[in-house]
Amino acid sequence: MLRGSAVGLRARHEDDIPVLRTELYDDVVTGSRAEGRPWRPITPGSNDSRLVVDDENEQIVPFSVVELAGGELVGTATLWGIDNHHRSAHIGLGLLPSARGKGYGTDVVAVLCHYGFIVRGLKRLQVETLADNASMLRSAERNGFVREGVLRSSSWVLGEFMDEVVLGLLAEEWQAVSTG
């Protein structure tokens, strides 16, 4: 397990999947905002590609997020789009509704940065999030991510086009933030 100050990132357990599906993906609003594709219901018990881990896929590393104090599942985190040639990847996370507003997002981003830069030896990490996702923007910026641009009207979400913000962080910038 990778440990932050309040949360840990561990391998996905089979019994995490129904909780994550119910709390994050069965909700139309949350699912629509988190995915780059239209929401659709997933049959209970089916292999949901968003949650079932494929250990053979080298371009994505999914984690379950647990609270360190009690080991309770609080969300999901992912390093995805891993490009070993360019030494870059994207990060993403989703917290259960009961875990939001507790500072876990900032801690998850910090742990994903440690994993990406120290464990994987990457040079660059990137975040893409909807422009109104203040929690993700705050979590990324607290960890040193810099806004690099806005993709205007690039995401179709629940009947409207929304802007998406792109943030980036280089290993040396993270090193300065994490040690200072």
Side-chain angles (χ1 to χ4, degrees):
M1 178 183 316
L2 297 169
R3 296 176 185 275
S5 58
V7 298
L9 274 55
R10 64 158 168 76
R12 176 88 26 89
H13 296 172
E14 194 66 35
D15 56 348
D16 295 345
I17 293 172
V19 174
L20 294 171
R21 179 180 289 144
T22 300
E23 297 275 338
L24 293 177
Y25 296 111
D26 280 352
D27 176 59
V28 177
V29 174
T30 301
S32 295
R33 293 179 55 81
E35 290 290 314
R37 55 188 174 192
W39 180 88
R40 65 184 186 94
I42 302 294
T43 304
S46 68
N47 286 334
D48 185 342
S49 62
R50 298 167 300 181
L51 297 170
V52 175
V53 177
D54 176 2
D55 288 326
E56 302 298 315
N57 186 346
E58 298 280 332
Q59 294 182 327
I60 185 168
V61 180
F63 296 97
S64 286
V65 180
V66 294
E67 190 177 40
L68 288 177
E72 180 183 347
L73 178 68
V74 295
T76 182
T78 309
L79 191 72
W80 61 276
I82 301 168
D83 184 328
N84 289 320
H85 178 70
H86 295 292
R87 294 177 51 203
S88 64
H90 305 259
I91 67 170
L93 65 104
L95 295 175
L96 304 182
S98 62
R100 296 176 190 154
K102 298 180 179 182
Y104 294 156
T106 300
D107 202 26
V108 169
V109 172
V111 178
L112 283 171
C113 288
H114 174 83
Y115 178 73
F117 293 132
I118 301 300
V119 177
R120 298 295 298 246
L122 300 176
K123 170 74 172 171
R124 174 186 167 77
L125 293 175
Q126 184 167 310
V127 171
E128 300 89 6
T129 190
L130 296 175
D132 68 348
N133 189 346
S135 298
M136 186 61 193
L137 292 168
R138 190 171 40 254
S139 293
E141 289 172 336
R142 285 182 176 161
N143 280 285
F145 279 82
V146 175
R147 292 183 192 215
E148 295 180 334
V150 175
L151 304 173
R152 299 176 303 143
S153 293
S154 63
S155 296
W156 178 254
V157 180
L158 298 173
E160 68 177 311
F161 282 102
M162 297 185 71
D163 293 349
E164 196 172 17
V165 178
V166 177
L167 302 99
L169 180 63
L170 303 178
E172 59 270 17
E173 295 167 340
W174 175 76
Q175 199 71 17
V177 170
S178 68
T179 59

